[in-house]
Amino acid sequence: MSQTKFVLGEDAIPTHWVNLLPDLPGEPLPPLNPGTGQPAGPEDLTPIFPMELIGQEVSMEPEVAIPDAVRDAYRLWRPTPLFRARRLEQALDTPAKIFYKYEGVSPAGSHKPNSAVPQAYANAQAGVKKLVTETGAGQWGSSLAFACSLFGLECEVYMVGSSYDQKPYRRSMMQTWGASVHRSPSDRTQSGRAQAENTTGSLGIAISEAVEIAASRPDTNYALGSVLNHVMLHQTVIGQEAMAQLELADAVPDVIVGCVGGGSNFAGLTFPFLRGTLRGENQIRYVAAEPAACPTLTRGVYAYDFGDTVGLTPLMPMYTLGHGFVPPPVHAGGLRYHGDSPMVCGLVKAGVIEARAYKQNETFEAAVRFARTEGIIPAPEPAHAIRATIEEALAAKEAGEERTILFGLCGHGHFDLAAYDAYLAGTLEDPEFSEENLQAALAALPENAPALS
Amino acid sequence: MSQTKFVLGEDAIPTHWVNLLPDLPGEPLPPLNPGTGQPAGPEDLTPIFPMELIGQEVSMEPEVAIPDAVRDAYRLWRPTPLFRARRLEQALDTPAKIFYKYEGVSPAGSHKPNSAVPQAYANAQAGVKKLVTETGAGQWGSSLAFACSLFGLECEVYMVGSSYDQKPYRRSMMQTWGASVHRSPSDRTQSGRAQAENTTGSLGIAISEAVEIAASRPDTNYALGSVLNHVMLHQTVIGQEAMAQLELADAVPDVIVGCVGGGSNFAGLTFPFLRGTLRGENQIRYVAAEPAACPTLTRGVYAYDFGDTVGLTPLMPMYTLGHGFVPPPVHAGGLRYHGDSPMVCGLVKAGVIEARAYKQNETFEAAVRFARTEGIIPAPEPAHAIRATIEEALAAKEAGEERTILFGLCGHGHFDLAAYDAYLAGTLEDPEFSEENLQAALAALPENAPALS
């Protein structure tokens, strides 16, 4: 019998986060104040973020120390296991070695607590009483609810309408940890009332609602579960652990695969490896998998755009479908975002990361195949990564090469089983991507920002 | 910072199961053929079980080797972590040290795959094509569905009606692993049709349905998720690992707590320690926590009774509420069983194990307290163990003693969040235990069995 699971003791929880910002190719592109078109400064962010996180957002230090209290909370689920997917390899009859880093062992069931905990801690240290946030499928909202319960903060969550309806138990989970949860768009904010006709909601709208509330109350801050640099930073515990575990497995990755919604799971897994790639120390390929229904990296334009739908945030340099784009209600709610992390987008633009888009049914086909071989039922988001991984494994078989593939299994699908029901019943839809909606949204990009080449 | 999580490598997966049968006090009480009243022999069991499992059921060897293929499948989630509940200790302000062994990391989310995997493997080795089983809350049915998918067996599950209605996603989970699932009582069996008036169903009825089908088809066997000796045996991987992990933690338990439905989680955690207790090598106390709505150990009689409602199984010596007793539909579906493992019952009878019964709301109060400190949302079944653990921790505080408590967190509550909803909304019921129903069921105990003192 051969080793299947590579586990580390608590002493292997990283002591630092990896900051890839100083390694990125080209000149850094700052976020812009949407009113002036000038680079946004800390004063643009202090109404909604504590200084500690603003500092992390712009830090050019290659490493950032993890506070003791955060590392202590990480012990509740970290280090997470790395698995060799031997049974999937056998089913595919591939010479490829497939490894996956499993973040579903966290209390909330995904990688999201890796950033929720340091964000809640930094806010608690700054004297903030309450955090407000948005959530798509509920992974981020439940993670922040959990983190707030650890540090005695109140938590209020705006949950994207389509996910609120599809995944009622995610709401129950947030409430069990003490949070209050509202369906977005809601009638509690100007932003929500202005978007009332969007009945399914979107991450962009829910962000507007949460930011609006945080900006208007002195003891209340906002927390974002992806996109921003400090969130990418926090997630790098994933890749650092994976690196140590692959070493235990005596394996060197040829390709690393992750799904991308806002980019935090992908960045968390890849950035520690990408530092070596950017410095010419390794030749790893990187594949970002996204939904064909919300194909930011494969069909979006590279431009400055708002992070939210209403236009309350600074402008960020990224691939975008337009902040007004409302994706169809696919079950991978965590991937229904019009933009992506500027850091990840810059690396796609530079050709370092390859992006691929998949339809809903083909990702669920891959997920069921995975569940029936490896046991774990994946969330719809990492099902995209599994689909791309199977493609890579079959390409290795075609080429007759023993390639090593690492992918991020960023969460379990325990709250997504209605989607599996629909897939198994043959009633799951592959919503068409609307070129018309895309062009309309792109026509409404902000005008007072410089073009990006 | 102090250590929170005690993890073991794959080489620490036990190589043997612990068989406590030879250590039990008193003369062994055999199961009886209900027709003759004589001890049941292998021929009573071969229509529904493979010889390998029948051999394990009656083995007097102190240890039974775990097959390589089973150990290999165990690697998908074992060893499971042992946690020190430091945040709960702080919240209780207790000098007690609280440890918990967490089985929720398995693909199905509980300890049940520990026995589902060896049962599926033994049947596959014997050339069986299909397994039929019952399930309460769905933990066992999903575990067997998972195990059958690993070894290429078909799987058919009869799910207790009240749980089928309360936990629809457990059904989806079983189907994702390829099983077919029916609400019990169903119209597919004589047993089900005869019990059609019991609209909420019970484990006893669902067992009758599954046994009836398995007994009537040559290529189909039955699998039971608890109660029988071989299931207790398989679960002892839990306690063996916990023993090694407590050693890492430099801790010696004063008391071990588990919930009891059929007894397999409780036996799995305690039996490796109990061997030492029965041999006079340690002084550990044992607490079994059960629901006040189905108080088998605290209100039942010690007698020979059927394992199922209709009366298809051998008679077993156990505490029983009467095989006709249908418990009210509490959310801890896995604890809604009229009897309990004969091995566990014998130890309760001998005074080695103390039993306590808890009402539904007080167990959810404990579960929410646990979720808000330790992060993990427990299943309703181990919420009973958490309730008893908190009592023990407060008793240690009262006594001013630094006692060490170990409890079994046998599964997560991701499919039980409707129950948390009800608890948080204040609408969760504490169903009254009906003395009248109990007396009626006890009046119908089988007559052709010897009385037990």
Side-chain angles (χ1 to χ4, degrees):
Chain A
M1 288 186 295
S2 319
Q3 197 166 354
T4 298
K5 193 156 69 313
F6 300 87
V7 297
L8 302 168
E10 285 186 359
D11 52 352
I13 295 173
T15 55
H16 291 72
W17 292 302
V18 171
N19 182 16
L20 201 63
L21 213 49
D23 290 275
L24 290 186
E27 283 300 299
L29 294 167
L32 304 179
N33 179 304
T36 64
Q38 295 303 305
E43 67 283 3
D44 289 294
L45 299 173
T46 48
I48 59 169
F49 292 124
M51 275 311 296
E52 176 69 21
L53 297 181
I54 295 172
Q56 291 175 7
E57 185 67 21
V58 298
S59 169
M60 290 301 277
E61 294 299 319
E63 293 190 328
V64 176
I66 303 177
D68 280 355
V70 170
R71 257 188 111 226
D72 201 32
Y74 278 170
R75 289 164 193 256
L76 290 171
W77 74 97
R78 305 210 69 84
T80 63
L82 179 89
F83 289 90
R84 169 100 182 258
R86 293 187 184 277
R87 288 163 199 268
L88 179 62
E89 292 170 14
Q90 283 164 22
L92 297 172
D93 188 26
T94 175
K97 294 181 188 172
I98 304 175
F99 292 89
Y100 59 97
K101 178 73 169 164
Y102 183 43
E103 292 290 308
V105 295
S106 79
S110 78
H111 64 294
K112 294 290 188 186
N114 297 332
S115 185
V117 165
Q119 289 194 49
Y121 175 70
N123 277 287
Q125 289 293 101
V128 169
K129 300 292 178 225
K130 182 173 187 170
L131 289 179
V132 188
T133 196
E134 79 294 332
T135 197
Q139 298 275 20
W140 169 248
S142 52
S143 299
L144 194 70
F146 154 66
C148 285
S149 81
L150 293 183
F151 297 107
L153 293 172
E154 286 179 72
C155 184
E156 182 174 326
V157 182
Y158 288 81
M159 186 170 188
V160 175
S162 57
S163 291
Y164 187 95
D165 300 337
Q166 285 167 347
K167 304 171 205 286
Y169 291 167
R170 275 282 169 196
R171 173 186 52 70
S172 313
M173 194 177 204
M174 293 184 251
Q175 290 168 334
T176 298
W177 280 315
S180 59
V181 186
H182 308 289
R183 190 184 190 283
S184 170
S186 80
D187 60 1
R188 301 170 59 89
T189 65
Q190 285 185 12
S191 303
R193 290 188 291 272
Q195 297 288 327
E197 77 279 8
N198 287 315
T199 52
T200 60
S202 73
L203 276 170
I205 298 169
I207 293 172
S208 297
E209 294 207 77
V211 168
E212 180 184 324
I213 287 181
S216 68
R217 299 187 195 162
D219 63 349
T220 299
N221 263 349
Y222 170 69
L224 185 63
S226 193
V227 180
L228 297 178
N229 297 348
H230 67 273
V231 186
M232 306 299 124
L233 177 79
H234 297 156
Q235 293 292 352
T236 58
V237 290
I238 304 173
Q240 291 183 75
E241 288 177 9
M243 206 174 258
Q245 288 163 313
L246 284 177
E247 212 160 294
L248 284 181
D250 201 18
V252 177
D254 295 297
V255 54
I256 305 182
V257 180
C259 63
V260 175
S264 78
N265 143 69
F266 185 86
L269 179 65
T270 59
F271 280 8
F273 295 92
L274 262 162
R275 168 161 288 162
T277 311
L278 294 171
R279 293 179 181 178
E281 295 160 7
N282 69 50
Q283 304 279 321
I284 301 171
R285 289 188 299 120
Y286 300 88
V287 176
E290 65 179 10
C294 188
T296 314
L297 296 173
T298 51
R299 301 288 300 277
V301 299
Y302 192 58
Y304 270 104
D305 198 5
F306 291 107
D308 69 320
T309 298
V310 172
L312 303 180
T313 73
L315 300 177
M316 291 184 295
M318 58 185 181
Y319 282 97
T320 177
L321 299 166
H323 61 277
F325 182 82
V326 177
V330 290
H331 285 273
L335 309 185
R336 288 181 70 234
Y337 184 61
H338 67 274
D340 270 342
S341 148
M343 292 179 79
V344 171
C345 290
L347 289 161
V348 171
K349 182 72 181 166
V352 181
I353 296 169
E354 175 197 347
R356 297 181 199 164
Y358 296 102
K359 293 189 172 179
Q360 186 158 245
N361 272 286
E362 61 189 358
T363 64
F364 273 90
E365 184 193 8
V368 169
R369 191 166 201 172
F370 185 82
R372 291 185 182 173
T373 49
E374 294 294 312
I376 298 168
I377 297 178
E381 291 85 358
H384 291 71
I386 296 173
R387 176 75 201 192
T389 295
I390 291 176
E391 282 185 0
E392 288 289 327
L394 294 177
K397 180 179 176 180
E398 186 86 9
E401 289 180 13
E402 188 190 284
R403 297 179 193 154
T404 296
I405 308 168
L406 167 66
F407 80 89
L409 183 57
C410 58
H412 61 63
H414 297 174
F415 299 94
D416 308 288
L417 283 160
Y420 280 87
D421 259 6
Y423 170 74
L424 293 170
T427 60
L428 191 69
E429 292 183 356
D430 278 330
E432 282 301 311
F433 176 73
S434 164
E435 188 68 32
E436 196 179 345
N437 287 353
L438 173 64
Q439 294 309 327
L442 291 179
L445 284 180
E447 288 170 2
N448 59 347
L452 296 175
S453 59
Chain B
M1 288 187 297
S2 318
Q3 197 167 353
T4 298
K5 194 156 66 324
F6 300 86
V7 296
L8 302 168
E10 285 186 358
D11 52 352
I13 295 174
T15 56
H16 291 72
W17 292 302
V18 170
N19 182 17
L20 201 64
L21 213 48
D23 291 274
L24 290 187
E27 284 300 299
L29 294 168
L32 303 180
N33 178 303
T36 64
Q38 295 303 305
E43 68 282 3
D44 289 293
L45 300 172
T46 48
I48 58 170
F49 291 123
M51 274 312 294
E52 176 69 19
L53 297 181
I54 295 173
Q56 291 175 7
E57 185 67 20
V58 298
S59 169
M60 290 301 277
E61 294 299 317
E63 293 191 328
V64 175
I66 303 177
D68 280 356
V70 171
R71 259 188 111 227
D72 201 32
Y74 278 170
R75 290 165 193 256
L76 290 171
W77 73 97
R78 305 211 69 84
T80 63
L82 179 88
F83 288 89
R84 169 99 183 259
R86 292 188 184 277
R87 289 164 199 268
L88 178 62
E89 292 170 14
Q90 282 164 23
L92 297 172
D93 188 26
T94 175
K97 295 181 187 171
I98 304 175
F99 291 89
Y100 59 97
K101 178 73 169 163
Y102 183 43
E103 292 290 308
V105 296
S106 79
S110 78
H111 65 294
K112 294 290 188 187
N114 297 332
S115 186
V117 164
Q119 289 193 49
Y121 175 70
N123 277 286
Q125 289 293 100
V128 169
K129 300 292 177 227
K130 181 172 185 171
L131 288 178
V132 187
T133 196
E134 78 294 332
T135 197
Q139 298 274 19
W140 169 248
S142 52
S143 300
L144 194 69
F146 154 66
C148 285
S149 81
L150 293 183
F151 296 108
L153 293 171
E154 286 179 70
C155 183
E156 183 174 325
V157 182
Y158 287 82
M159 185 170 187
V160 175
S162 56
S163 292
Y164 187 96
D165 301 337
Q166 285 168 347
K167 305 172 203 289
Y169 292 166
R170 274 281 168 195
R171 173 185 52 70
S172 314
M173 194 176 204
M174 293 184 251
Q175 290 168 334
T176 298
W177 280 315
S180 60
V181 186
H182 308 289
R183 189 184 191 282
S184 171
S186 79
D187 59 3
R188 301 169 60 88
T189 65
Q190 284 186 12
S191 305
R193 289 189 292 272
Q195 296 287 329
E197 77 280 9
N198 287 314
T199 53
T200 59
S202 73
L203 277 170
I205 298 169
I207 293 172
S208 297
E209 294 207 78
V211 168
E212 179 184 325
I213 287 181
S216 67
R217 297 187 196 162
D219 63 349
T220 299
N221 263 348
Y222 169 70
L224 185 63
S226 192
V227 180
L228 297 178
N229 298 347
H230 67 273
V231 185
M232 306 300 124
L233 178 78
H234 298 155
Q235 294 292 353
T236 59
V237 290
I238 304 173
Q240 291 183 73
E241 288 177 9
M243 206 175 259
Q245 288 164 313
L246 284 177
E247 212 160 293
L248 283 182
D250 201 19
V252 177
D254 295 297
V255 54
I256 305 182
V257 180
C259 62
V260 174
S264 80
N265 142 70
F266 185 86
L269 179 66
T270 59
F271 280 9
F273 295 92
L274 262 163
R275 168 162 286 162
T277 312
L278 294 172
R279 294 180 180 177
E281 295 160 7
N282 69 51
Q283 304 279 320
I284 301 171
R285 288 189 300 122
Y286 300 88
V287 176
E290 64 180 10
C294 188
T296 313
L297 296 173
T298 52
R299 302 288 300 277
V301 299
Y302 191 58
Y304 270 104
D305 198 5
F306 291 107
D308 69 320
T309 297
V310 172
L312 303 181
T313 73
L315 301 177
M316 291 184 295
M318 58 186 180
Y319 282 96
T320 178
L321 299 166
H323 60 278
F325 182 82
V326 176
V330 291
H331 286 274
L335 308 186
R336 287 182 71 234
Y337 183 61
H338 68 274
D340 269 343
S341 148
M343 293 179 79
V344 171
C345 289
L347 289 161
V348 172
K349 181 71 181 166
V352 182
I353 296 168
E354 175 196 347
R356 296 182 198 162
Y358 297 101
K359 293 190 171 178
Q360 185 158 246
N361 272 286
E362 61 191 358
T363 64
F364 273 90
E365 183 192 10
V368 169
R369 190 165 201 171
F370 185 82
R372 291 184 183 174
T373 49
E374 294 294 312
I376 298 168
I377 297 178
E381 291 85 358
H384 292 71
I386 296 173
R387 176 74 199 192
T389 295
I390 291 175
E391 282 185 359
E392 288 289 327
L394 294 177
K397 180 179 176 180
E398 186 86 9
E401 290 179 12
E402 188 190 285
R403 298 180 192 153
T404 296
I405 308 167
L406 167 65
F407 80 89
L409 184 55
C410 58
H412 61 63
H414 297 173
F415 299 93
D416 308 287
L417 283 160
Y420 280 87
D421 259 6
Y423 169 74
L424 293 170
T427 60
L428 190 68
E429 292 183 358
D430 277 331
E432 281 303 310
F433 175 73
S434 165
E435 188 66 34
E436 196 180 345
N437 287 353
L438 173 64
Q439 294 309 326
L442 291 180
L445 283 179
E447 287 170 4
N448 59 347
L452 296 174
S453 58

